[in-house]
């Protein structure tokens, strides 16, 4: 039997509604064909307890659960189709909101001081970083968070493409997160993204002078209508800000950081040098 599915964020009203609706439809279809919960669970390969939790909107069904349920109940693809909504609910609400903003932005600027920016992480690197949390996440939660992080990277596939700028500190690039092979793959990913016409990638050397990003990450998003949103771990405790005065402060700080970092060509050479050291 498969293990329990993921729980729904109780503060995510849309997510709660989606999972409750899917669960109710599953129950109605199961009862319509005259199957008991235990019998249905055995047919789909899940425990009876999980069947009740999914039907009661207490657990998020996996794609294989929906596909198997569709087959067992003869739903003709209608149950399987629910995965398009369910898979979005698997991502934490804050991540979905961030991904939505990034998907609308015409310009994205990110300074990251402690890790490789999430938009740049490989799946293996993301999994290693998320798995290192204490207290640890469950394996299902780790996979959900990795999937959410990777889903945000669809921003690179947008047409027209947004202008994206990254500044990363040198120290995280030297850390062998996930082991040497994963680390090398991550550096190669940075080189690959840095070659995109709409992307500017810079590294801040460890031996650089003090700069305005020492107290945390910065993200700036600008939209087609001229509005913008910014976040800063240091000055604004990670809260989104849109007030013009606050945004000017973040833009000044980010501009100063970019001016102190290595230019893109030197950044590529630096990353290639790191790869050559192993």
């Amino acid at each position: 039997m498969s293990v329990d599915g993921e729980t729904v964020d109780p503060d995510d009203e849309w997510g709660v509604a989606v999972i409750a609706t899917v669960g109710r439809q599953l129950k109605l279809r199961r009862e319509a064909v005259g199957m008991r919960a235990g019998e249905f669970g055995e047919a789909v390969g899940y425990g009876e307890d999980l069947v009740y939790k999914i039907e009661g909107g207490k657990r998020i069904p996996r794609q294989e659960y929906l596909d198997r349920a569709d087959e067992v109940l003869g739903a003709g693809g209608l149950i399987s189709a629910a995965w398009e909504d369910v898979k979005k609910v698997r991502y934490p609400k804050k991540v979905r909101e961030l991904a939505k903003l990034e998907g609308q932005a015409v310009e994205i600027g990110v300074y990251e001081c402690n890790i490789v920016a999430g938009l740049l992480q490989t799946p293996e690197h993301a999994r290693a970083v998320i798995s290192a949390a204490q207290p640890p996440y469950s394996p299902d939660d780790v996979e959900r968070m990795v999937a959410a992080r990777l889903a945000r990277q669809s921003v690179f596939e947008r047409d027209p493409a947004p202008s994206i700028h990254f500044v990363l500190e040198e120290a995280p690039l030297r850390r062998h997160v996930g082991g040497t092979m994963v680390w090398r793959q991550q550096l190669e990913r940075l080189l690959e993204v840095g070659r995109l016409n709409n992307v500017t990638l810079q590294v801040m050397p460890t031996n650089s002078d003090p700069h305005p990003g020492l107290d945390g990450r910065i993200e700036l998003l600008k939209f087609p209508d001229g509005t913008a949103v910014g976040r800063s771990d240091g000055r604004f405790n990670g809260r989104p800000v849109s007030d013009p005065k606050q945004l000017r402060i973040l833009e000044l700080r980010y501009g100063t950081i970019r001016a102190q970092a290595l230019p893109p060509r030197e950044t590529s050479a630096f990353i290639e040098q790191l790869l050559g050291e192993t």
Side-chain angles (χ1 to χ4, degrees), residues 112-116 168-177 183 187 203-207 270 274:
E112 191 64 77
C113 56
N114 296 317
I115 62 173
V116 173
L168 307 178
E169 288 285 346
E170 173 185 342
L173 301 189
R174 290 187 176 276
R175 185 173 295 120
H176 289 214
V177 173
W183 172 73
L187 293 184
V203 166
M204 180 70 75
T206 301
N207 63 0
F270 174 80
L274 284 181

Side-chain angles (χ1 to χ4, degrees), residues 126-144:
R127 188 170 293 108
V129 169
I130 294 169
S131 297
Q134 289 294 336
Y137 295 108
S138 70
D140 279 342
D141 282 340
V142 169
E143 292 309 311
R144 173 166 54 169

